[in-house]
Amino acid sequence: MSYSNPIIPGFNPDPSIIRVGKDFFLVTSTFEYFPGVPIYHSQDLIQWKLIGHALTRPSQLQIHTPEPGGGVWATTIRHHAGVYYIMAASFQRYRPQQDDRVWPQGFYVRTTDIWNEKTWSDPIYFDQVGFDQDLFWDVDGTVYLSSTYRKTQPTIGANLKDFAIHVCTVDLATGHSTSAPKLIRESSSGVAEGSHIFKRGRYWYLFTAEGGTESGHSEWVNRSEVGPFGPWELGPNNPLWRNGVEDEVQNTGHADLVEDTKGQWWAVVLGVRPSRQGDMWQESVLGRETFLVPLEWKDDWPVINGGQKISLNSNGPGLYQFDIPVSWRDEFSEPQMQVGWYRKNTPFVNDYSLTERPNYLRLHGGPYNLSVPASPTMFLRKQTHHLCRWETKLSFEPTVDETEAGTVVWLNYFTYSSIGIRKDSKGRFIRFRPSEGDIVEHRLDTNTAVTLTVDCGTEYQFGYCEGTESEVHWIGSVSNSAATAAPPVGANFTGMMLGLYAFGERQRCLAPADFAYAEFR
C-alpha cells in the first residue's frame, strides 16, 4: 500500500521509535530548545500526535547561550521491564568551525507513565562522554551504553573528525560505567554515529549513521555472534541505501527499528526535502524530518526499503495515504500553553501569562533582544509545510522607544526575520528587520490591534493590517536561502520556526504584549 513521507514533517531529526503493545512512541531531537525531546504517539505509523515532552523542568535541562546546533542531540527511546527510558546528551559548547566542543556527559530519564510528561525523572548522568547515546539490555540482564566521541588515537595521515562508536557496560542506578569503553565501529568517512544495538535470533546487530548528517549521510549495519563488544561482521550491502544530492529526499540516515504487531519490521530515518528552483535544489527551510520505510530480513541481514532510495511516495504493507493538515490555531483559551510551543534555551523567569487577560497570550518582554544568545521572551512553533500562512493579532502600546513586540521567522539568533511594533516621539510604527538587507519601517495610523502576517513559500513575505482592515500591507520579503544562511559559529541542525516575541533593549518591557491568537493555514 502507498503512503506519503515524511510521516512527521518539519524540524524532527534523529528519530527513535519503540512499540509497547499496540502503541508506537517516537522521539526526536530538540537541540537548543525547551522543553526538550518531543514524544509522538501513533497506532498505525501514519498518523502521529505530539503527546508531550520528556524534559520539561529546569531541574532536567539547563541550556543557556549555546551556539546554534548546541543543546540536546539525538535522543533514543527504549522500554524495558515496564519502564520507559530516554537517553540524550546536551552540548553546552559547540563550535565546529574551530573544532572546539566540550564532549557532554550523556544522561537518561525514566518514567512508567509515558502519557504524563510530568512523571519523567530528573536525569541520571553517565560518566562516559559522547553523544547519540543508546542503551541495550542483553538477555543476561547486562546493560550496554553505546555513544559517539572522538577516538583517543587519531587516524594517522588523515584529516578526519575521527568520530567513532564506543561501548561499555553501565550500572543504571548510578550511571557509572562498569567496564572500560571499547571502540566497536569507525568509518573511513571519519564519522560513525547514531548507534543502535539490537538482538534478533542468534545475532547482535549494530546500526550506525555514517558520513555526517549532510549530503554524505548513510546507514550501515554490522552483526556479531558473540555480543555487543564484538567482534563485528560488516554487512554485505552497506550502505543499506543511498540518496544523493539530486534526489527529492536527501541526507537520509540515522535509522532506528521497530516491529509491528503483525511481525512487519520498519525503520524510521531522518531526511530533508529540498525545494526545486529551476534546475537547482534549494536547501529545505523545514530542516531534517522523520521518514518511514519498510524493512525485511534476508539471510539474517536487514534490507531497508528494498535497498532503494527513499522517496516522498512510498510503499509498505498495511499503510495508507494521509495528508497531514496545514491548519493549526491557538486562541490561548486554556490555562496552559498548547503542547508544541518552544522557548529558545531554558527560561530564567516566568515572563508570560494566559490569565491576566483571558483568551490572550500576554508576554512581559525581557531584557534580551532576538540577536542575543540568551533566552528572549519568545514562543516558537515548527513550520511543517513549505506553503502556508502564519498569522497573529497583537495589541501592544509601548511606553518607551527601546521596546518591541511582534512575530518572527526564526532559525537561530544569527538568522531570523521579524516584524514588530515599536514607538518613537511621533507614535507607533511597524519595523521589518530581515535576516538579509535593510530594515524597513512603516508608520501606523491608529492605536488599534495589528494583524501580522507571514506568507511562506518560495520566499517569506511579511505584512500587516490595522484594526478591521482586510487588506494586507506587504512590507518586505526574505528569500529562503537568506532565511537558512549558515551561522558563523555552530551549525544549522534545526528547521524553521515561527513565533511571537516581546523584548526591551537591556531592560524589561513594561507594556504587556497581548496576542489574541496564532495560526497556520
Side-chain angles (χ1 to χ4, degrees):
M1 301 292 289
S2 67
Y3 65 97
S4 296
N5 266 315
I7 55 168
I8 306 181
F11 159 34
N12 282 289
D14 311 322
S16 178
I17 190 171
I18 58 171
R19 179 180 60 83
V20 180
K22 62 182 179 179
D23 297 300
F24 297 94
F25 299 99
L26 185 151
V27 297
T28 60
S29 300
T30 41
F31 293 92
E32 61 261 42
Y33 297 102
F34 182 93
V37 191
I39 303 169
Y40 296 92
H41 168 255
S42 177
Q43 289 191 337
D44 62 9
L45 293 171
I46 294 296
Q47 296 191 51
W48 292 87
K49 180 181 180 181
L50 178 63
I51 62 170
H53 295 78
L55 307 176
T56 61
R57 305 186 300 272
S59 63
Q60 296 172 304
L61 184 61
Q62 290 285 330
I63 304 176
H64 300 295
T65 67
E67 299 78 12
V72 176
W73 283 30
T75 50
T76 296
I77 185 170
R78 292 292 180 256
H79 182 259
H80 179 76
V83 180
Y84 297 88
Y85 296 84
I86 288 178
M87 291 67 75
S90 182
F91 273 92
Q92 300 294 344
R93 184 182 182 92
Y94 182 68
R95 303 176 181 180
Q97 290 82 356
Q98 293 80 38
D99 196 17
D100 179 7
R101 55 181 66 77
V102 176
W103 297 103
Q105 288 183 239
F107 61 88
Y108 76 86
V109 293
R110 54 179 283 169
T111 185
T112 56
D113 183 6
I114 198 171
W115 300 98
N116 184 352
E117 67 180 10
K118 296 181 180 179
T119 64
W120 287 96
S121 69
D122 281 347
I124 300 293
Y125 283 88
F126 304 120
D127 52 21
Q128 180 61 57
V129 300
F131 62 91
D132 292 7
Q133 281 76 10
D134 177 81
L135 286 178
F136 169 71
W137 286 259
D138 213 341
V139 291
D140 63 359
T142 304
V143 184
Y144 294 83
L145 169 68
S146 62
S147 62
T148 295
Y149 56 91
R150 177 166 285 155
K151 298 190 308 180
T152 55
Q153 299 298 320
T155 302
I156 298 174
N159 183 22
L160 298 174
K161 288 184 177 180
D162 278 331
F163 292 176
I165 308 296
H166 301 74
V167 68
C168 65
T169 56
V170 64
D171 175 9
L172 276 187
T174 62
H176 295 332
S177 303
T178 54
S179 71
K182 180 178 180 180
L183 191 157
I184 59 170
R185 175 64 186 166
E186 57 184 307
S187 169
S188 60
S189 70
V191 177
E193 57 190 348
S195 57
H196 292 305
I197 297 175
F198 299 90
K199 179 78 186 298
R200 180 181 179 272
R202 63 191 179 99
Y203 292 107
W204 288 261
Y205 293 88
L206 172 65
F207 288 81
T208 54
E210 305 198 3
T213 195
E214 297 82 20
S215 60
H217 207 200
S218 60
E219 188 73 19
W220 292 55
V221 68
N222 291 257
R223 73 184 184 188
S224 173
E225 290 189 271
V226 178
F229 284 120
W232 291 95
E233 174 190 2
L234 189 63
N237 296 304
N238 283 311
L240 293 170
W241 78 91
R242 188 73 170 87
N243 281 53
V245 296
E246 291 300 321
D247 295 317
E248 62 180 2
V249 181
Q250 301 178 15
N251 303 7
T252 54
H254 204 108
D256 198 10
L257 313 186
V258 71
E259 184 181 12
D260 68 20
T261 58
K262 297 179 181 179
Q264 170 65 44
W265 284 78
W266 303 89
V268 289
V269 306
L270 71 81
V272 300
R273 43 179 176 144
S275 298
R276 193 77 177 183
Q277 299 295 320
D279 59 353
M280 300 287 291
W281 286 111
Q282 187 178 73
E283 183 174 351
S284 174
V285 299
L286 304 177
R288 300 175 297 165
E289 306 175 280
T290 292
F291 291 72
L292 175 76
V293 285
L295 182 152
E296 298 177 297
W297 295 94
K298 294 184 179 180
D299 300 323
D300 287 322
W301 287 106
V303 178
I304 293 180
N305 202 42
Q308 302 302 306
K309 295 179 179 182
I310 295 172
S311 61
L312 297 178
N313 294 308
S314 301
N315 288 280
L319 302 188
Y320 60 94
Q321 286 290 337
F322 174 71
D323 292 327
I324 298 172
V326 176
S327 298
W328 164 89
R329 184 178 173 96
D330 193 343
E331 295 184 339
F332 307 117
S333 57
E334 301 297 325
Q336 295 181 334
M337 296 291 288
Q338 277 190 26
V339 67
W341 285 103
Y342 294 90
R343 305 293 301 266
K344 179 195 172 294
N345 300 176
T346 308
F348 282 106
V349 297
N350 182 16
D351 50 9
Y352 73 97
S353 174
L354 290 164
T355 58
E356 290 179 14
R357 186 178 179 184
N359 300 312
Y360 283 81
L361 170 63
R362 171 165 285 184
L363 299 186
H364 296 285
Y368 298 119
N369 67 33
L370 305 189
S371 297
V372 176
S375 179
T377 303
M378 178 174 64
F379 285 84
L380 298 165
R381 301 284 307 192
K382 298 175 182 179
Q383 181 183 345
T384 58
H385 293 74
H386 286 289
L387 299 175
C388 57
R389 171 172 284 193
W390 167 266
E391 185 179 285
T392 186
K393 190 172 185 178
L394 169 63
S395 299
F396 182 54
E397 298 288 341
T399 56
V400 296
D401 296 358
E402 295 83 8
T403 59
E404 181 176 322
T407 196
V408 63
V409 174
W410 176 271
L411 189 63
N412 55 62
Y413 63 88
F414 293 106
T415 307
Y416 68 89
S417 300
S418 60
I419 180 170
I421 300 173
R422 296 180 74 108
K423 74 167 284 292
D424 59 15
S425 59
K426 297 179 181 179
R428 298 195 310 165
F429 61 92
I430 290 287
R431 172 176 286 184
F432 169 55
R433 183 264 188 212
S435 60
E436 180 180 88
D438 298 327
I439 290 174
V440 179
E441 296 177 349
H442 281 194
R443 186 67 55 184
L444 290 170
D445 297 323
T446 69
N447 289 322
T448 58
V450 177
T451 300
L452 302 172
T453 303
V454 181
D455 273 0
C456 313
T458 56
E459 62 180 2
Y460 290 93
Q461 292 185 305
F462 294 76
Y464 70 95
C465 55
E466 298 185 62
T468 59
E469 285 183 327
S470 59
E471 182 178 352
V472 178
H473 303 285
W474 297 107
I475 192 172
S477 63
V478 174
S479 69
N480 287 355
S481 59
T484 55
V489 63
N492 280 346
F493 289 149
T494 60
M496 205 64 69
M497 306 171 85
L498 288 90
L500 316 172
Y501 69 87
F503 66 79
E505 299 282 0
R506 293 182 288 279
Q507 60 185 287
R508 188 173 190 258
C509 182
L510 296 178
D514 292 335
F515 295 87
Y517 64 87
E519 70 174 0
F520 279 113
R521 66 174 192 268

